[in-house]
Every structure is written in structure tokens, then in C-alpha cells.
Amino acid sequence: AIDFKTTMASVEFPSIFLNASGVNCMTVAEMDEMINAACTGGVVTKSATPQQREGNPQPRYYQLEHGSINSMGLPNAGFPYYLDYVTREHAKPTILSVAGLQMSDNIELLHKIQASEYTGLTELNLSCPNVIGKPQVAYDFEETDALLAEIFSFYTKPLGVKLPPYFDLVHFDQMAAILNKYPLTHINTVNSVGNGLWIDIDTEKVVIKPKQGFGGLGGAMILPTALANVRAFRQRLNPSIKIIGTGGVTSGKDVFMHLLCGADMVSVGTALLHEGVGIFQRLTDELATIMAEKGYTSIEDFRGKVQDF
Ligand code: DOR
């Protein structure tokens, strides 16, 4: 059998697969289910805000033909709940996702993690498109640089960032130059494609209630954008910064493409929500079949080796 173990920031994951933050990770029961499922590498928590939040009004998630649109608005059980969870012993590693609603929150959350017993990975979500009145932090390059400078003036534990998708090659250059200044363990790319819109033509209404229907897109329709972001960052980031590829994965083929673009791990959101944790066994089997057909025995045989035309 092929070995899908992988190491990020000296943390050993038994598989390359994770949930995309937000899916199957709100409660202890859901996080335990991710850890106990076959072929998962561990669990990423729902992005924790300092206090518990109900999130945006319903309906706030809608399944589209080729993906999903959401404007959840960071409903979560609050930072202490997730810190408590990740600080306990688990059979697989955890990644603590945190999201400040303002810059001072981000600093405060990271001070609390720094002061805590937790020694595992943390991921700072700089890319939530759905908090009413709040911008996606990582679209503001100066703000992101200043925030990371402040964080790394005191923070010494393993830290990565969750990024929104970028669509311009100069933006990849600019963001990578910023990220390369800091001892980040990883980036997770991409968060949902922010502020899409869908309409039900029978009712002539938008399909989700918050923000007049504008919401983050996920699922199969965003795979090309996710692949572009993984590849563009792999070409530009220091090799010490690992990449979690997120976006559009529904099959082993999609996983194979993320890995060819240079992803170290791969996470699944929309398709996990629709299929449940059994998806990780299926993706593993499909990936193993592709690799066997090509004569590959390890991910290292092809990771990051996508060829130009
Ligand atoms: O698509 C997203 N939805 N990305 C986030 O970062 C947060 C989430 C939400 O709760 O709205």
C-alpha cells in the first residue's frame, strides 16, 4: 500500500487529507468524527473567534449544481472551546483555526495561544468573506504585513495563514514577498471565492439571506482557481513554507492535480459536507489508482512537478 504520511512543521500527519475549516469541525463530535475517520490526516477546527457566535441569519448555505455558496458569518463555539479541544490528546494532529473580527482580536488570540499549553499548529484565517462590514484582511497587503510583523514579534509556536484566492500574477508576487519575510509553517490556499451571487429564477430571489445574497463560492467550480493559487504560491514561497491546497476537490484526479501543483496536504470542504467523512477513503483509493497506473509509489515522485505545455 502507498504511504500517504506527511510532515508539516515537525507535526506528523498519517495522511495528506484534512477537512476545510468550517466543514465537519464545529463541535467536539464533528472534530472527533474527522479524527476517527479512515484516511484523514487530522482535523482543522472551525475558525474560532474570541467569543461564541451565532453567525449570520438563515438560509446561509446553498448547494449549487457545481459547488456551493455560503455566508455563514463565522458561527462557532468560541475560542476557549476549540483551544480546550486541541490541547487534549488525540489520535491524529489538530490545526487550531482562529479568526479575529478585528486586528486587535487576532493579536489577542495569538497571545492566548502563545501563553497556553498548546504546542500544535495554528492557522490564522485572514480571508473570511462573510462578516458583515469587515473586509478580507489578506486583500490588504500593507495590513497583512503589519499584522504578521506584530504577531512574529512575540509568537514562537507553529503558525500558518489561510488566504483568499488571488487573481492577478502581480498580487501573487506581492503577497509571496510579504509571507516570505516571516517564519510561517504553511499557507492554506484557498478560502472560498468571495462574494459570488446566485439566483433562483422561479422566485427571482437570491438564494441566501445575508448580504443580499452575496457569499463565498466553493466546490468543483473553484478548482481551477485553487490550483492556480497553489501553483503560483509554490513557485514563489520559501520551501520551508508548506502548502495546504483547498478548493474544488471532489475526486482523486483533483487531489492529484493539487499535488502536481505543489500542495503538501489537501483539504476538502463542499464535497465533505455533501458526502460525509467516507469521502477520504474514496479519494485515497482513487489517488492510489491513478498513481499505480502511472507507476508512482510515493507522492514525492510527482509533487510540484506539473509540466509546462
Ligand atoms: O467561506 C467561508 N465561510 N470562509 C470563512 O473563512 C468563514 C466561513 C463563514 O463562517 O462565513
Side-chain angles (χ1 to χ4, degrees):
I2 299 168
D3 185 358
F4 289 114
K5 279 207 297 285
T6 190
T7 302
M8 253 198 350
S10 355
V11 177
E12 280 187 36
F13 292 85
S15 157
I16 58 170
F17 292 112
L18 296 167
N19 61 300
S21 178
V23 179
N24 225 108
C25 60
M26 188 90 80
T27 63
V28 166
E30 288 175 340
M31 293 186 284
D32 281 348
E33 188 186 26
M34 265 305 296
I35 284 181
N36 295 328
C39 304
T40 59
V43 65
V44 186
T45 72
K46 172 66 186 173
S47 290
T49 54
Q51 268 83 46
Q52 181 270 340
R53 280 171 61 85
E54 294 303 323
N56 290 339
Q58 311 252 16
R60 57 194 187 181
Y61 178 90
Y62 189 86
Q63 186 176 341
L64 303 173
E65 196 177 352
H66 300 292
S68 62
I69 183 167
N70 89 83
S71 183
M72 306 302 289
L74 292 174
N76 76 96
F79 174 73
Y81 180 93
Y82 300 102
L83 181 65
D84 176 69
Y85 185 80
V86 300
T87 305
R88 280 186 265 134
E89 279 285 319
H90 298 286
K92 295 177 186 173
T94 55
I95 299 180
L96 174 59
S97 175
V98 294
L101 297 176
Q102 51 214 7
M103 286 308 143
S104 57
D105 283 356
N106 288 319
I107 301 294
E108 181 195 314
L109 288 166
L110 288 162
H111 270 297
K112 284 185 177 159
I113 301 168
Q114 179 68 29
S116 77
E117 281 168 49
Y118 183 57
T119 55
L121 284 157
T122 294
E123 188 172 282
L124 179 62
N125 183 354
L126 297 178
S127 47
C128 176
N130 302 328
V131 178
I132 294 161
K134 303 287 177 187
Q136 290 169 79
V137 178
Y139 283 146
D140 184 332
F141 294 83
E142 278 177 29
E143 182 91 9
T144 299
D145 195 4
L147 176 64
L148 291 174
E150 183 165 356
I151 287 169
F152 284 108
S153 71
F154 67 88
Y155 198 81
T156 58
K157 293 179 177 181
L159 182 69
V161 288
K162 178 80 173 267
L163 298 174
Y166 298 96
F167 302 93
D168 188 296
L169 296 183
V170 171
H171 290 166
F172 289 121
D173 293 341
Q174 291 171 337
M175 185 46 69
I178 291 167
L179 299 171
N180 280 335
K181 297 199 290 180
Y182 303 101
L184 291 162
T185 56
H186 72 279
I187 63 162
N188 188 329
T189 180
V190 297
N191 205 321
S192 56
V193 174
N195 297 300
L197 188 67
W198 196 248
I199 295 156
D200 177 331
I201 63 162
D202 293 329
T203 62
E204 302 178 15
K205 280 186 184 169
V206 298
V207 296
I208 54 174
K209 187 171 173 79
K211 291 178 65 178
Q212 298 185 100
F214 290 83
L217 306 177
M221 66 169 86
I222 75 159
L223 180 62
T225 292
L227 294 174
N229 277 260
V230 171
R231 184 172 196 211
F233 278 114
R234 188 64 290 158
Q235 290 172 318
R236 290 166 175 79
L237 290 178
N238 301 332
S240 61
I241 304 180
K242 303 295 181 197
I243 297 183
I244 302 177
T246 303
V249 170
T250 65
S251 73
K253 284 184 194 172
D254 305 334
V255 177
F256 187 72
M257 286 196 275
H258 266 274
L259 295 168
L260 273 178
C261 288
D264 293 280
M265 297 185 78
V266 173
S267 75
V268 186
T270 299
L272 168 60
L273 186 73
H274 297 163
E275 192 170 330
V277 296
I279 194 171
F280 296 107
Q281 178 71 255
R282 177 173 71 78
L283 294 174
T284 301
D285 293 345
E286 290 173 1
L287 177 62
T289 300
I290 293 167
M291 288 173 62
E293 281 165 7
K294 291 171 172 283
Y296 293 142
T297 55
S298 138
I299 292 175
E300 300 320 315
D301 293 346
F302 62 92
R303 193 198 311 274
K305 294 186 181 169
V306 59
Q307 295 174 51
D308 295 334
F309 197 79

